[in-house]
Amino acid sequence: MNFLIRAAAIAALLHITPVVVLVKRPDAVQALLPGADAYLAREVHLSGTDAHRLHEAVDWSPEDGVLVFYRGTAGSTSVGALEFVRVDTPHGPIEVAVGFTPQGAVRGVVVTKATVEMKPWVLEAVAAGLTDRYRGLKPGGEAPGGAAGIASRAGNLAVYVAGEVDKGVARALAAYGAFYNHVRT
Amino acid sequence: MLYDLRRADVRVKWLVTSLLATFGLSYLFGAAMVALYAGFTPQSVAATYAGPEMSMVMPPETTMVVQRPMSMGDFAQAEVHTVDTKLLIQDTHVHVPMYGLIAAALGVVVVGLSLPRRWSLGLIALLFAAPWLDFAGMWLTKLVSPRFAIVTLAGGWAMGVAYLIVAGLAIHQMWLSRERAEP
């Protein structure tokens, strides 16, 4: 009986809860590409070599080997670009939207999805100023340090999830730096 | 018969009733969760589990770019909840032991029911076969063909039906049957 109770407790603890939308994609697009009135999806289909290079850099391969950047324009002026990056964690996936200015710096970061379990951790991390920590980062520059930045102001689980958001931002930076402007159509 | 729920102590009857009520509640919310994330049609289950992995994507020789215009409406399109192989491994690892414990608990209730031996054996087999079918369907949908989504649906419905049979018989025999011992 003791075994059964322990097994049930372990199963309950390990249970991965469903993914919930924290911020709808259109809202994230409007926040990260302000003023844009037209959008272009730029799908970069990576060769085996480039996919390997990206994997070596940030320990990540995009789904089906395709990076998708969304470019926003207002009239003929570029507003910037954004990516949605998924990070798989032992508690289930999170999705991070990373927006870039036309100059290639991070304009903002929005956590768009998380599991039911991680939602309160994400909200706590964001309330502690997590997403402000990424503003201005550029590919090849300083590594995202959101977790370290909020460590003194948030609980352990919020700091943990901030580390996962850091990974998402690092992936977006690496992908943007290597493949957004450097591959011809 | 190992024990008889009709003549069991009222404390045992109360325990079994509470257990069945708790399972019933979790099954109700389980059904709601299925409705939210996978749906009840073979098409929606196939879309959840088969995913793009059904077609093997070969990387191009050199990296290439495809561009297409997007409208805000495209961003707003409902996204299908998908379960990839990694997540299905985790789900199987976590859910199957839990389903086994639930089937075992309901099986213990079946043992206490006044039923022909064959019926009891059949019911216990159904309790364990249902989750097997459920997960076999998910894996077959992912690895073999989306047509196997029907197996997952059959497994899910079998779990619900098996629970309803056990709960109905147990409540009837413990609290309503004429042959029950008065508490």
Side-chain angles (χ1 to χ4, degrees):
Chain A
M1 183 57 86
N2 193 22
F3 167 76
L4 290 180
I5 293 168
R6 274 193 202 175
I10 290 167
L13 281 172
L14 289 175
H15 186 85
I16 294 164
T17 55
V19 176
V20 287
V21 174
L22 302 178
V23 177
K24 289 179 181 168
R25 280 191 167 196
D27 294 338
V29 171
Q30 280 177 337
L32 298 174
L33 298 174
D37 54 21
Y39 305 94
L40 198 67
R42 186 176 164 86
E43 295 176 356
V44 181
H45 295 251
L46 297 176
S47 67
T49 312
D50 282 340
H52 181 71
R53 191 156 58 97
L54 183 63
H55 193 271
E56 289 284 295
V58 281
D59 190 25
W60 172 65
S61 303
E63 201 172 330
D64 296 331
V66 182
L67 294 167
V68 185
F69 302 97
Y70 299 98
R71 187 176 160 211
T73 50
S76 58
T77 311
S78 173
V79 175
L82 76 83
E83 282 176 83
F84 293 97
V85 179
R86 175 178 146 163
V87 182
D88 287 310
T89 81
H91 301 271
I94 58 170
E95 185 185 76
V96 180
V98 182
F100 293 90
T101 63
Q103 292 73 37
V106 172
R107 170 181 281 131
V109 172
V110 177
V111 183
T112 48
K113 290 179 190 168
T115 60
V116 173
E117 182 190 17
M118 288 195 287
K119 182 180 170 182
W121 312 344
V122 172
L123 296 181
E124 186 187 343
V126 171
L130 173 68
T131 49
D132 302 332
R133 298 270 160 185
Y134 305 115
R135 220 163 274 146
L137 290 179
K138 283 193 164 181
E142 189 188 339
I150 64 162
S152 59
R153 281 181 287 149
N156 287 343
L157 292 170
V159 173
Y160 161 78
V161 88
E164 300 300 322
V165 176
D166 282 353
K167 282 184 201 170
V169 176
R171 290 169 186 180
L173 282 164
Y176 182 88
F179 300 108
Y180 181 67
N181 272 329
H182 306 291
V183 185
R184 287 186 194 148
T185 50
Chain B
M1 197 168 202
L2 290 174
Y3 73 105
D4 186 350
L5 275 176
R6 290 173 307 177
R7 295 177 177 80
D9 186 278
V10 70
R11 289 169 295 181
V12 176
K13 289 183 179 181
W14 183 234
L15 186 152
V16 171
T17 305
S18 302
L19 179 76
L20 290 171
T22 307
F23 281 171
L25 185 69
S26 74
Y27 273 46
L28 275 178
F29 277 90
M33 206 168 102
V34 169
L36 276 174
Y37 292 100
F40 288 106
T41 65
Q43 292 77 16
S44 60
V45 173
T48 303
Y49 292 101
E53 293 165 51
M54 284 306 294
S55 56
M56 194 68 175
V57 180
M58 295 301 290
E61 290 269 316
T62 55
T63 295
M64 51 179 265
V65 174
V66 178
Q67 295 197 134
R68 60 188 161 86
M70 293 274 294
S71 68
M72 192 52 91
D74 295 329
F75 287 108
Q77 267 182 357
E79 289 177 70
V80 177
H81 174 72
T82 57
V83 176
D84 62 15
T85 305
K86 284 182 187 171
L87 196 54
L88 189 52
I89 288 170
Q90 279 182 320
D91 273 356
T92 309
H93 167 65
V94 171
H95 280 90
V96 169
M98 201 60 188
Y99 282 152
L101 291 173
I102 292 170
L106 291 174
V108 172
V109 175
V110 171
V111 171
L113 295 174
S114 175
L115 288 174
R117 190 173 289 249
R118 265 191 214 171
W119 278 91
S120 295
L121 288 171
L123 210 42
I124 290 169
L126 180 62
L127 286 168
F128 282 93
W132 276 84
L133 276 178
D134 194 30
F135 274 89
M138 292 176 202
W139 279 106
L140 289 168
T141 301
K142 180 161 289 301
L143 301 176
V144 182
S145 162
R147 290 179 182 185
F148 283 102
I150 196 81
V151 178
T152 286
L153 285 171
W157 282 109
M159 263 192 274
V161 168
Y163 166 78
L164 285 175
I165 293 172
V166 175
L169 287 171
I171 297 298
H172 181 263
Q173 292 193 7
M174 286 190 299
W175 303 110
L176 307 171
S177 157
R178 268 190 242 160
E179 294 164 47
R180 76 188 193 277
E182 288 303 324

